[in-house]
Amino acid sequence: MKDFKAIDQLAKELHEDRSQLPYIEVRKGALQAITPYIREQGFRHITIIVDDNTWEAAGERIFHELEKHQIGGEVVLIKSNEHDQVLADEDAIVQVLVETSQQSNALIAVGTGTIHDITRFCSHKMNIPFLSVPTAASVDGYTSKGAPLILRGFKQTIQTASPIAVFADIDIIKKAPREMTAAGFGDILAKNTSLLDWKISHWINDEPYNGRAADLTRNSLQLCIDHVEEIAQADDEGIRLLMNALIESGLVMLLLNFSRSASGGEHHLSHYWEMDLLKRNAPQVLHGAKVGVATAIITELYQSYANDLDVFGANTGQIAEEIHHLYKPDQMTQWLQLVGGATTPYELGIDDDLVQKSLNEAFRLRDRYTGLYLINQAKSKEILYPVSKNIEL
Ligand SMILES: [Zn+2]
């Protein structure tokens, strides 16, 4: 895994056994490596989890390839809901549990975040491993252990298992709908504020902080920004860089055993919006699409409060300095636009009232110190949206 040297170093520093991490191939033609890997593992019966789109994109090829090598198995085609979307909910989970044969040695998740979350939960419950085949560079959670599931209409993240191997085929991923790649870029852009929030929590609350992990994640962010044009064009190298960055961010979370490096106040806004969409039974929006838009909003909020000396307590100087170094919200919006992503909540079906509510309430979703939390503790008035409205106060 020559691409993930920095991860090897981090594993060493943390005294983590490198062999516990998934086997990973990110390259053109990576799909061809699946059957040899499965034979090497001695698996005889495989269950492939797909939806209509990912069956066509990659599932069918994997199935026939396995068949050709006398590896048996079945395909679970996850049914979509009334919005024509696949959700990681009770229906999907039960479908996988019912349709997977007792003889199955392993599952293969072929798809994006949702298919992976369904698969990782079922694999954990059935006590068999799973392989990851991402069909889009849309999210950094492929290698994570946490499965965000929608149970009785509420989102709940359950700790399960990470894949034993990831086969990310650039030929397939580059053909994913543009909005998916844009979502992946949005999830990487989030590191702009998540890394700062992690540091804030370290300073204010003495939360464990790992400089190497933070640097590694920051490098991934910088690399994607430096190659935003190639990502926008879905060029081989651009997509490979983005996919590597997403996988690397996921591996950092796996090694640290928490999501601090990758998720801060911007993810809290996104979760708040998502819960509202669920409550209204509205169509779901890609995780990274919400997170990208939320990152620009949170950054603007932090920048508008950076000069208010009371907000960040004893660490105001340090925090203000860090905020000063964040990318500017306008710049982020331009990048999001360039890669073909949404740039405003409105484009995602989220109205200004909900954004304003989330700015004042989303910090309660998780027991975590963030800039958003501190601003909410210190505020004398409701935070307004658009954020620029707060400045003249
Ligand atoms: Zn994320």
Side-chain angles (χ1 to χ4, degrees):
M1 293 191 344
K2 58 185 184 338
D3 285 336
F4 298 99
K5 267 204 193 101
I7 291 290
D8 289 340
Q9 285 167 341
L10 179 63
K12 209 185 271 174
E13 186 187 303
L14 294 167
H15 305 294
E16 289 289 337
D17 182 1
R18 178 66 186 74
S19 65
Q20 297 302 307
L21 293 178
Y23 170 77
I24 299 176
E25 290 205 22
V26 182
R27 63 173 173 90
K28 286 164 77 70
L31 227 53
Q32 291 151 11
I34 297 175
T35 305
Y37 177 86
I38 284 172
R39 286 167 64 114
E40 199 186 292
Q41 298 292 315
F43 298 151
R44 303 295 309 149
H45 189 110
I46 296 291
T47 307
I48 303 176
I49 320 289
V50 290
D51 62 24
D52 284 327
N53 297 325
T54 65
W55 169 250
E56 225 170 273
E60 191 173 4
R61 264 174 66 195
I62 299 170
F63 180 75
H64 290 308
E65 196 61 30
L66 289 173
E67 208 177 30
K68 219 161 69 191
H69 291 88
Q70 282 84 47
I71 296 166
E74 62 270 335
V75 174
V76 179
L77 181 73
I78 306 281
K79 296 186 182 79
S80 40
N81 67 5
E82 76 261 37
H83 298 302
D84 215 14
Q85 292 183 318
V86 167
L87 295 185
D89 61 5
E90 294 95 337
D91 290 349
I93 290 166
V94 170
Q95 191 191 340
V96 174
L97 296 177
V98 168
E99 294 181 16
T100 299
S101 154
Q102 294 287 357
Q103 307 156 39
S104 188
N105 300 125
L107 308 178
I108 307 183
V110 183
T112 59
T114 306
I115 293 275
H116 277 72
D117 293 332
I118 299 164
T119 305
R120 88 175 78 245
F121 176 80
C122 293
S123 131
H124 189 62
K125 283 291 171 192
M126 292 189 280
N127 208 15
I128 52 174
F130 84 98
L131 282 67
S132 155
V133 180
T135 52
S138 56
V139 73
D140 71 2
Y142 288 120
T143 55
S144 101
K145 281 186 181 167
L149 303 176
I150 298 161
L151 302 174
R152 296 192 185 274
F154 288 97
K155 190 151 183 175
Q156 200 181 328
T157 298
I158 297 178
Q159 284 306 305
T160 62
S162 51
I164 52 167
V166 181
F167 298 93
D169 193 325
I170 301 304
D171 289 328
I172 289 164
I173 293 168
K174 67 189 274 193
K175 287 186 206 135
R178 200 155 181 245
E179 54 164 9
M180 296 232 166
T181 308
F185 182 80
D187 211 13
I188 288 295
L189 202 56
K191 300 352 170 200
N192 193 54
T193 43
S194 67
L195 287 170
L196 169 60
D197 280 338
W198 188 15
K199 217 176 227 180
I200 287 177
S201 180
H202 174 62
W203 283 333
I204 306 250
N205 196 33
D206 218 14
E207 188 177 337
Y209 184 80
N210 182 301
R212 189 187 286 275
D215 286 349
L216 212 162
T217 304
R218 190 171 297 106
N219 286 344
S220 299
L221 165 66
Q222 191 56 49
L223 209 58
C224 289
I225 286 170
D226 291 344
H227 294 86
V228 64
E229 300 272 354
E230 289 104 305
I231 294 170
Q233 288 154 13
D235 154 290
D236 283 350
E237 187 55 11
I239 295 299
R240 194 186 66 84
L241 281 170
L242 176 60
M243 196 65 216
N244 270 351
L246 291 164
I247 288 181
E248 213 160 62
S249 170
L251 291 175
V252 169
M253 287 189 268
L254 197 59
L255 279 171
L256 295 175
N257 208 14
F258 68 168
S259 60
R260 255 316 196 164
S261 52
S263 158
E266 74 298 318
H267 272 72
H268 298 176
L269 284 197
S270 161
H271 293 325
Y272 194 93
W273 301 345
E274 184 168 5
M275 278 161 49
D276 184 80
L277 295 172
L278 272 173
K279 242 190 286 173
R280 292 190 278 121
N281 196 25
Q284 284 297 309
V285 175
L286 287 170
H287 168 81
K290 295 191 293 278
V291 164
V293 168
T295 303
I297 294 172
I298 284 282
T299 306
E300 198 181 3
L301 179 76
Y302 288 8
Q303 288 178 345
S304 71
Y305 277 84
N307 298 323
D308 182 342
L309 290 174
D310 294 332
V311 172
F312 301 117
N315 299 89
T316 297
Q318 280 168 302
I319 295 173
E321 171 80 17
E322 294 278 335
I323 291 174
H324 186 71
H325 287 118
L326 295 177
Y327 290 108
K328 301 286 172 275
D330 289 353
Q331 177 70 76
M332 290 188 213
T333 305
Q334 276 174 30
W335 288 326
L336 286 171
Q337 196 158 28
L338 185 66
V339 296
T343 58
T344 61
Y346 179 79
E347 288 170 71
L348 301 174
I350 294 158
D351 63 33
D352 286 7
D353 281 351
L354 181 66
V355 180
Q356 182 156 321
K357 238 166 113 188
S358 66
L359 285 169
N360 291 282
E361 290 175 12
F363 76 96
R364 293 184 218 277
L365 287 182
R366 290 207 64 175
D367 198 12
R368 273 184 174 178
Y369 280 88
T370 59
L372 183 63
Y373 174 89
L374 294 179
I375 290 170
N376 270 280
Q377 294 304 304
K379 73 182 179 191
S380 53
K381 289 184 189 141
E382 198 178 24
I383 302 167
L384 301 176
Y385 181 78
V387 173
S388 55
K389 281 193 192 166
N390 293 296
I391 297 170
E392 58 257 29
L393 297 180

